[in-house]
């Protein structure tokens, strides 16, 4: 009997479906060389991000810092302050100069636009592998 591949759950928040599609396409469906499968939870609203985070079972949250109404930076700061043992957060920023805002938001990793698929995949793999230490913001240049 074959053993099922392990699964890692990534919550992906953006109000823009094209951003979610770009991120999923860049990261793919496998988290590592061992064949760990990524289960994507697409979320388009702030309320749904909070609800899903409260339920737990998320290995990584990718938040769009440029989302309308409730941007990922504010959402990240809220979650880091309100969710006990909040999962790591990768924040998509509008530009590399926004790294200081990612630090303010308490994000674990910041990846700027335009999205480089290789750098985004590398950042996701490092977070899921446990290479990101809580409270340390890694910027793409550090990866």
């Amino acid at each position: 009997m074959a053993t099922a591949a392990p699964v890692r759950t990534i919550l992906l928040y953006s109000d823009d479906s094209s951003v979610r599609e770009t991120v999923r396409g860049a990261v793919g469906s496998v988290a590592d060389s061992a064949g760990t499968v990524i289960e994507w939870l697409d979320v388009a609203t702030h309320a749904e991000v909070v609800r899903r985070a409260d339920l737990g079972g998320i290995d990584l949250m990718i938040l769009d810092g440029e989302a309308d109404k409730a941007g990922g930076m504010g959402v990240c700061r809220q979650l880091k302050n309100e969710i006990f043992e909040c999962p790591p957060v990768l924040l998509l920023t509008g530009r590399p100069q926004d790294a200081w805002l990612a630090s303010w938001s308490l994000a674990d990793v910041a990846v700027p636009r335009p999205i480089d698929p290789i750098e985004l995949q590398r950042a996701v793999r490092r977070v899921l592998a446990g290479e990101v230490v809580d409270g340390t913001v890694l910027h793409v240049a550090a990866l």
Side-chain angles (χ1 to χ4, degrees):
M1 182 155 94
T3 306
V7 176
R8 303 302 296 267
T9 302
I10 299 177
L11 181 144
L12 174 55
Y13 166 62
S14 179
D15 64 326
D16 184 340
S17 62
S18 68
V19 170
R20 294 193 307 268
E21 184 177 321
T22 298
V23 170
R24 282 191 317 272
V27 175
S29 60
V30 179
D32 55 34
S33 59
T36 303
V37 174
I38 295 175
E39 175 187 8
W40 290 99
L41 298 176
D42 280 15
V43 176
T45 66
H46 172 244
E48 188 64 9
V49 172
V50 174
R51 187 183 80 75
R52 294 284 187 129
D54 279 337
L55 291 173
I58 297 169
D59 297 297
L60 170 64
M61 292 187 285
I62 300 176
L63 307 179
D64 181 1
E66 301 297 306
D68 286 338
K69 296 184 184 175
M73 292 180 204
V75 172
C76 178
R77 189 165 176 94
Q78 175 188 356
L79 294 172
K80 289 291 190 171
N81 284 310
E82 294 179 2
I83 304 291
F84 180 68
E85 295 182 352
C86 184
V89 174
L90 184 152
L91 185 67
L92 302 173
T93 61
R95 57 197 181 126
Q97 297 86 346
D98 292 338
W100 72 274
L101 289 167
S103 295
W104 169 85
S105 75
L106 306 175
D108 299 282
V109 179
V111 175
R113 284 186 176 86
I115 294 172
D116 178 327
I118 294 170
E119 291 181 1
L120 179 59
Q121 186 179 71
R122 183 181 301 134
V124 167
R125 286 181 173 216
R126 287 195 62 191
V127 172
L128 292 177
E131 296 178 22
V132 175
V133 179
D134 266 351
T136 301
V137 175
L138 294 179
H139 305 287
V140 170
L143 296 174

